Amino acid sequence: MDTVIYVIIALVVVVLLFVLLSRSKTTKPPVDTAAGPETTTGALTEEQPKLGLPVEPTDAREPLPTGQPRRDPAVVAPGVEPRSRLATQTEIRELQQGLARTRGGEGLFGRLRNLFQGKAEISPELVAEIEEVLLASDVGVATTSRILESIRAQLSRGELSDEAAVWATLRAEAVKLLELPGGGPLNVHQKPTVVLFVGVNGAGKTTTIGKLATHLKAQGKSCVLAAGDTFRAAAVQQLTVWGQRVGCEVVRGKDGSDPGSVIFDAIRKAEEQGADVVLADTAGRLHTKTNLMSEMQKIARTAGKALSGAPHEVWLVIDATNGQNAFAQAREFKESLELSGIVLTKLDGTAKGGVILGIADTLKVPVRYVGLGERPGDLHEFVADDFVEALLGKDA
């Protein structure tokens, strides 16, 4: 009897041990809840880098040429608007299309290209012909001399052995003339940033304001437009249409009213609404009338009374088709106002696109935008490298 009892006890013990062992194999290790819901224990894997040794993220984008840093458009300096560098081949082709007349057979690029064709070597006689082409393209005497000085110096050192070397020199000199301090698109550094547009009638001030407002609106900026050309009802109406199209408030006065008061009211309206930018149109009677320059100076002073530091930008709008007359206009405005930028319009309408080189070099004022058509997208932020590539580059 005792033996049977011992056997039964032994069997019970064996069964209990078996059950305990089975449960221990199926139970998972406890989760460390203090480390968060996604943290697990165990050995490091490829997806769990050791502390102090971060894994470099891979970049699937196309590699850049040696020495050229990659610019991440999502990372910009505080207070600086992201810049569209017009660096893609598609964008440069769009610029080339806008400069089609300048690049054609009768334009600056076309005439230089024809000049170099069939030339086995670069001679002093060829340099003289280059001079004729530059002067005929409204580059200007002083700017042409500056460009040729570099070409002659390199020629004397035997550095211009072929056509490619001359093209490279022309492009380098053009970039040097166009890359000026203070360039780039509008920097909205305070609310509101006030931009005063000046220039003669017909230069394209009102249209440029409408296009720029479209650009700014697409970037999430709010604008107030000031119809300061109170002497032309058509200009006020045109700006009003742009305001309705873009969704910007337009401040206007009565016909013939004081333009300074209109811009004063526009600045105050922008402050009330918390708008980012005020784009102010102005009158543009003939630049030979001294009263126009006095009026522009008065408007600038009035803007300063409405907001300390205003206007923050004064941009001269120039019609590129005016040729040498554009130089006279530019000089007159530069003598009377502190210009901070140039907008060159209607470049698509002239074969003499070289005028941009002479104006930038003469005034030492940076080109900020160029107009190459009637659509809002035809107003391009100006980047010297890309513009020169579109102007003088063989292919894009």
Side-chain angles (χ1 to χ4, degrees), residues 119-139:
K119 297 293 191 299
E121 61 181 14
I122 307 302
S123 64
E125 290 74 22
L126 182 62
V127 176
E129 294 182 76
I130 294 174
E131 180 178 17
E132 292 179 10
V133 172
L134 293 177
L135 290 174
S137 299
D138 285 334
V139 173

Side-chain angles (χ1 to χ4, degrees), residues 130-192:
I130 294 174
E131 180 178 17
E132 292 179 10
V133 172
L134 293 177
L135 290 174
S137 299
D138 285 334
V139 173
V141 176
T143 305
T144 296
S145 298
R146 193 167 288 109
I147 294 172
L148 292 179
E149 182 180 350
S150 176
I151 291 177
R152 290 191 177 103
Q154 293 185 55
L155 186 63
S156 65
R157 296 193 298 266
E159 296 173 358
L160 299 182
S161 57
D162 55 21
E163 174 187 345
V166 179
W167 278 117
T169 299
L170 286 172
R171 286 196 292 269
E173 290 301 313
V175 170
K176 191 185 303 181
L177 293 172
L178 294 172
E179 270 192 340
L180 295 169
L186 176 63
N187 177 15
V188 183
H189 59 278
Q190 74 170 69
K191 280 190 173 187

Side-chain angles (χ1 to χ4, degrees), residues 42-56:
L44 291 174
T45 65
E46 292 181 359
E47 297 178 354
Q48 295 174 296
K50 295 180 181 179
L51 294 177
L53 296 174
V55 176
E56 289 290 336

Side-chain angles (χ1 to χ4, degrees), residues 15 23 27 34 62 75 133 139 144 157 178 196 242-243 307 335 346 352:
V15 171
R23 291 184 63 183
T27 302
E62 291 295 324
V75 180
V133 172
V139 173
T144 296
R157 296 193 298 266
L178 294 172
L196 192 66
W242 271 109
L307 177 65
E335 290 173 2
K346 307 179 187 180
K352 299 181 179 182

Side-chain angles (χ1 to χ4, degrees), residues 28-32 41:
K28 294 181 179 179
V31 176
D32 185 4
T41 59

Side-chain angles (χ1 to χ4, degrees), residues 90-350:
T90 300
E91 288 167 330
I92 292 177
R93 276 197 296 270
E94 289 178 0
L95 281 172
Q96 286 189 333
Q97 291 169 3
L99 293 168
R101 295 188 65 176
T102 295
R103 290 180 59 83
E106 297 302 316
L108 172 62
F109 175 82
R111 294 183 66 182
L112 287 173
R113 180 184 55 207
N114 295 336
L115 192 63
F116 294 147
Q117 282 181 349
K119 297 293 191 299
E121 61 181 14
I122 307 302
S123 64
E125 290 74 22
L126 182 62
V127 176
E129 294 182 76
I130 294 174
E131 180 178 17
E132 292 179 10
V133 172
L134 293 177
L135 290 174
S137 299
D138 285 334
V139 173
V141 176
T143 305
T144 296
S145 298
R146 193 167 288 109
I147 294 172
L148 292 179
E149 182 180 350
S150 176
I151 291 177
R152 290 191 177 103
Q154 293 185 55
L155 186 63
S156 65
R157 296 193 298 266
E159 296 173 358
L160 299 182
S161 57
D162 55 21
E163 174 187 345
V166 179
W167 278 117
T169 299
L170 286 172
R171 286 196 292 269
E173 290 301 313
V175 170
K176 191 185 303 181
L177 293 172
L178 294 172
E179 270 192 340
L180 295 169
L186 176 63
N187 177 15
V188 183
H189 59 278
Q190 74 170 69
K191 280 190 173 187
T193 294
V194 181
V195 186
L196 192 66
F197 290 80
V198 301
V200 301
N201 285 342
K205 297 188 300 295
T206 308
T207 300
T208 297
I209 289 173
K211 291 178 180 179
L212 183 57
T214 304
H215 283 228
L216 293 170
K217 192 77 172 179
Q219 296 170 9
K221 299 289 189 296
S222 56
C223 303
V224 171
L225 310 184
D229 189 355
T230 58
F231 299 101
R232 286 197 312 130
V236 175
Q237 183 60 34
Q238 184 184 3
L239 196 64
T240 301
V241 171
W242 271 109
Q244 294 170 347
R245 183 185 304 171
V246 179
C248 299
E249 180 159 353
V250 179
V251 176
R252 51 190 292 180
K254 295 181 180 180
D255 292 345
S257 61
D258 177 30
S261 65
V262 173
I263 293 171
F264 185 96
D265 291 342
I267 294 173
R268 287 297 173 86
K269 176 69 70 174
E271 285 186 299
E272 292 173 9
Q273 297 181 349
D276 297 296
V277 183
V278 175
L279 303 178
D281 197 5
T282 61
R285 291 184 297 272
L286 292 178
H287 66 283
T288 52
K289 302 281 185 68
T290 56
N291 62 338
L292 172 61
M293 297 306 156
S294 298
E295 186 178 282
M296 294 300 102
Q297 292 168 346
K298 177 186 174 183
I299 290 173
R301 290 193 300 269
T302 303
K305 293 177 182 177
L307 177 65
S308 179
H312 306 101
E313 302 271 8
V314 180
W315 290 356
L316 173 62
V317 182
I318 299 176
D319 180 351
T321 63
N322 283 343
Q324 287 298 310
N325 193 37
F327 282 90
Q329 297 171 16
R331 290 191 190 96
E332 190 79 17
F333 278 97
K334 177 67 184 302
E335 290 173 2
S336 303
L337 298 165
E338 293 185 11
L339 300 179
S340 59
I342 294 171
V343 180
L344 201 60
T345 64
K346 307 179 187 180
L347 269 171
D348 57 314
T350 179

